[in-house]
Amino acid sequence: MRPLTGRHELLATARAELTARPGVLFHGPAGIGKTTLVAALMNSLAVQAPAAGTVLHCAPAREDAPLPFAGLVDLFARVPDSRLDALPPEPRAALRAALLRGREPAGDQGRLAVRVAVLEVLRALAAAGPVLLVVDGLQWLDPLSAEVLAFAVRRAGDLGLRMVAAERVAEGEQPERPHCCPPGTAELAVPPLTDGETDRLLRAALGTGLPPALLRVVRDIAAGNPSYALELGRAALHDGASAGTLLVPRRLRALVLDQARTLPEAVRHALLVASAAAAPSLTVLRAAGFPDPAADLAAAEQLGVAAAGADGTVRFRHPLIRAALYTDAPEYRRRQAHALLARAVTEPLEQARHLAHARPYEDEAVARTLLAAAAQARRRGAPDAACELAGLAARRTPADRPADRADRLLTAAEYACDAGDPAAAGQSARAVLAESGSARRRVRARLILLRGAGQALDGTRDLIEDGLRDAAGDPRAEAWLHHWAAVRGLLCGELAEAARHARRAAGLADRAGDTETRIGALATLARVRSLAGEAGAADAALQEALTLVGTAGGGPERRGLIRMRAILALDSDRVAEAREEVSGLLTVVDESAGAEEVLATLVALARIQVRAGECREALRTADRCARAVAEAGVPVAPALYAAALAASAGGTAEEARHLAEQAVRASEADGDRLFLLRALAVLGQAELLGGSPRGAAAAVEALQRVRRLGESMCAADPPLLHWYGDLAEALVVLGETEAAGTVLGEARARVPGDAPGSVLAALERAEGLREAGLGRAREGALRLRTAVDRLRRLDLPVDMVRTLIALGAVERRARRRNAARLALGEALRIATRIGAAPLAARAGDELARLEAADRGGEAGPGGPELTPTEARIAELVGNGATNREVAAELFISVKTVEGALSRVYRKFGVRSRTALAHAMAVAVIASGASVDPGDDGGQGHMVTVSQPVRARASRVLATRRSHDIDS
């Protein structure tokens, strides 16, 4: 059965309607997924109530429609003869005859007897349990069976009879009131799939993704019809089609052209020319030589194939009909159609495309026309058209002009990169590498392969070194390759090598007079210096690049510089400045840039929005990143990182964790250590959001990798220092206060004198939580208040909320409830305003615990407050676990268990495990709460456990009392 992609909500609606109504009718055009929905609905009903009642099913085909009682035969195939034998003689004989178990019923009386017999059988079945009628294909149900069903369902309303049916209707039309469905049947239209749903369906069914340009063509032709999309996708894979060569398979053509093939030759000719035109209209058809195209299309309109609108535009009933008409025509007729259109249209790009298809052979004049049109398409911001036209130019280039052909192949490859099709770009570039003896062209081909590698530059060292050998003596080409080496070093964490190549690229570009490459190299150098924590050197490189902007054009290098300037501003807490830079850049990028540049800008915007507390906007930006990946095949890891970051701020911890894990795997696959660093950091934050010891242990694992990666890269930029604070906080949750102190000491040693305020506030927050974890709540609160005061001077609401929650939790544990209530109330208000859902939930949980403590009195309900880890350790030890067993369960060291257990002993005022078990039991029985230990956002809570633990506690007390009596 086809995957139920994009239909889960409709299926849920159908289930609900079938509970409230006597029937459900799915309707829609052929291939839209009605049968899949009927099967899914039957499966879900079977799961809900297996082996309950009777299901009578038929799925008539077109060939069955003329056959009398064919549908009834299928419906009653599983009804045993014993049910028929219980009928009176005349209805029994008539029904047996209709079911081909006797002679065919004759005359009106015989047909009436069949109807009565069917009604009686349904009543008998309903008396034994629910009866469900399933008719998948009402449009092909033979008239006699339909009349019998109509008779029965009108009279069986009190029997609990239900019906599920599917009916094919023409595109955009509604079904006629189906008389054989019970009155009150819910009619559910099956809508087209969205582009994203179509993409997921194809990937799931084909086991692989289609190239982006080809995927867009499949989506356009299928128009949301899953059956069409699957058949087109399978044909594309089987035939190795590209976006410009996809043909509609024979079976699909037969399905949609049965009417069109009956039209007169003149009408079919007009339809073919219209199908080949980019924007078919009566005006275009007249210019192509059709004296009265409206009359030609009248017959097509009567058959529902195509029609001319009031504005003269020719519209096909479905895009598949248009593509099928074109594919169905012989090759020579298609060439004739393009030749007519090449003379008829005036738009240069379309004219060039028609010329190429009209002359599918080597022709230098055509090749030059196509190349000029491709350049024009690129200037217009139409990368798909530019790629197609340049590819056609290369194929039309005569064999005796190999140099021109190589140049045109490389141009087509560059345009394919713009269009987000690295596979097509790589194919053309590798062809030039294999055939060309020109060092310049081989360098250009390797640059295209580097660009097509996206983030996966780890394995491109040889490609760069080979390119440098070819480029020797050409400072411009050497500058390009050194710049790519710098980008590779940045992504792979080889910062010293990246800085060396960036400086070399800038110097060579200066010698060659290549301002754009020099700007790009200086921007990369600024990013490398920033990542290394050398803010002054980063600013110097950036300023040098900025002085060159006035002499440069508006190309991608300049836009990259603006993006770099925004990131440096963000890392320095100048969030408003960063947002202004990227917002202005995005407007330009959306109009003219390639797919990779659009994604890079969106990722930067998502980072800025999260820091600015625009959590809802960040989620929307992350969705745009996902669409960019789906539509253009750009690198996945940055988009997944942006989605995880946005989810950690405005989504859910679970969603953020899942996306971050995907981003980690994608970055590892690419060998991209820069985004691996970021993805691991977000994974650690997501795990920390839950606050449980197990989540904190997972956070420590991820953030320790960040720590090791950062050290191996010699990185010390502000974001990394933020992540050190997260690692320390996770260690505190686990009770590893000594290890947390070591991490904070390392971070402090890395903090420069001019560190941004947010870095200092993050470290102060972690230090405050560590102080509280060591039992020094007053000192911890003081540190946290210092962080809050620092953040009030900055516009960083997410950081503020995190710090206020930490302060409120520490104040609550110290019994300063008014102070706790003020901090947590402010945190909840800010988090709600900015849409920070996970933090709002944490603030709400803390306030709920505060209210519970108020209701339980000053001492709290059930005993002393423990941190999540202390509470879990106390429970495990109280149940007889050894220190080593506790450490294994909680993923912490035995030493940490021993230290935490000592603190638990002090808080309960006991000195042994036996005494702790007794004290825990008393505390648990006294507690009426039902919150499991460890669910505390990382800040500590009262000893409150679930009912099974309270039951065990009662047994402990009973055993202890028996022991006391015996002694």
Side-chain angles (χ1 to χ4, degrees), residues 762-819:
L763 297 179
E764 287 162 350
R765 180 176 65 241
E767 288 165 347
L769 289 170
R770 179 175 179 270
E771 289 292 324
L774 289 169
R776 300 193 287 264
R778 189 174 299 278
E779 291 83 351
L782 183 61
R783 287 272 190 179
L784 288 163
R785 288 190 182 282
T786 301
V788 167
D789 290 341
R790 190 184 300 280
L791 289 169
R792 290 198 190 282
R793 298 191 292 270
L794 303 170
D795 187 18
L796 301 171
V798 172
D799 293 46
M800 174 64 85
V801 172
R802 285 188 64 183
T803 308
L804 285 169
I805 291 172
L807 174 60
V810 169
E811 295 285 32
R812 177 178 61 77
R813 291 175 61 192
R815 304 291 195 272
R816 292 190 287 270
R817 290 183 179 144
N818 286 337

Side-chain angles (χ1 to χ4, degrees), residues 221-389:
I221 296 175
N225 187 299
S227 180
Y228 298 170
L230 287 173
E231 194 142 355
L232 289 166
R234 292 189 184 107
L237 281 183
H238 181 267
D239 300 338
S242 67
T245 62
L246 177 64
L247 299 176
V248 178
R250 185 188 304 274
R251 197 195 74 82
L252 272 185
R253 298 205 305 272
L255 179 67
V256 299
L257 294 183
D258 54 343
Q259 297 292 314
R261 285 171 175 168
T262 66
L263 290 167
E265 172 62 26
V267 176
R268 282 186 282 138
H269 187 209
L271 288 172
L272 171 61
V273 174
S275 72
S281 67
L282 296 178
T283 301
V284 168
L285 289 175
R286 278 192 288 269
F290 294 89
D292 191 1
D296 292 332
L297 291 174
E301 184 174 5
Q302 289 179 352
L303 295 181
V305 176
D311 60 352
T313 300
V314 177
R315 294 183 177 86
F316 292 86
R317 193 184 73 207
H318 191 280
L320 179 62
I321 294 178
R322 177 178 179 175
L325 282 165
Y326 183 83
T327 302
D328 210 43
E331 171 63 23
Y332 78 92
R333 298 301 300 270
R334 293 202 294 264
R335 289 171 55 185
Q336 289 174 355
H338 285 295
L340 291 174
L341 289 166
R343 294 192 295 269
V345 300
T346 57
E347 203 283 321
L349 302 188
E350 187 181 357
Q351 193 175 57
R353 185 175 67 85
H354 289 306
L355 183 64
H357 289 299
R359 303 178 187 177
Y361 43 80
E362 295 177 359
D363 186 318
E364 177 61 17
V366 172
R368 289 178 181 173
T369 299
L370 287 166
L371 196 65
Q376 186 176 359
R378 191 189 198 195
R379 288 192 297 273
R380 289 184 182 180
D384 285 341
C387 177
E388 179 194 5
L389 292 167

Side-chain angles (χ1 to χ4, degrees), residues 558-627:
R558 180 179 181 276
R559 295 193 293 265
L561 175 62
I562 295 172
R563 194 164 51 246
M564 182 68 250
R565 188 166 58 188
I567 292 301
L568 292 181
L570 180 67
D571 290 347
S572 299
D573 294 343
R574 303 194 307 274
V575 179
E577 177 185 331
R579 182 170 52 236
E580 184 178 354
E581 292 271 20
V582 171
S583 296
L585 184 62
L586 192 60
T587 303
V588 178
V589 162
D590 271 345
E591 294 176 353
S592 59
E596 307 102 315
E597 194 177 349
V598 171
L599 179 63
T601 306
L602 289 171
V603 171
L605 180 60
R607 288 183 61 191
I608 292 165
Q609 287 168 332
V610 168
R611 292 293 307 281
E614 298 169 354
C615 302
R616 300 178 187 90
E617 292 82 352
L619 289 171
R620 287 194 285 271
T621 300
D623 285 341
R624 291 180 67 186
C625 289
R627 289 197 298 274

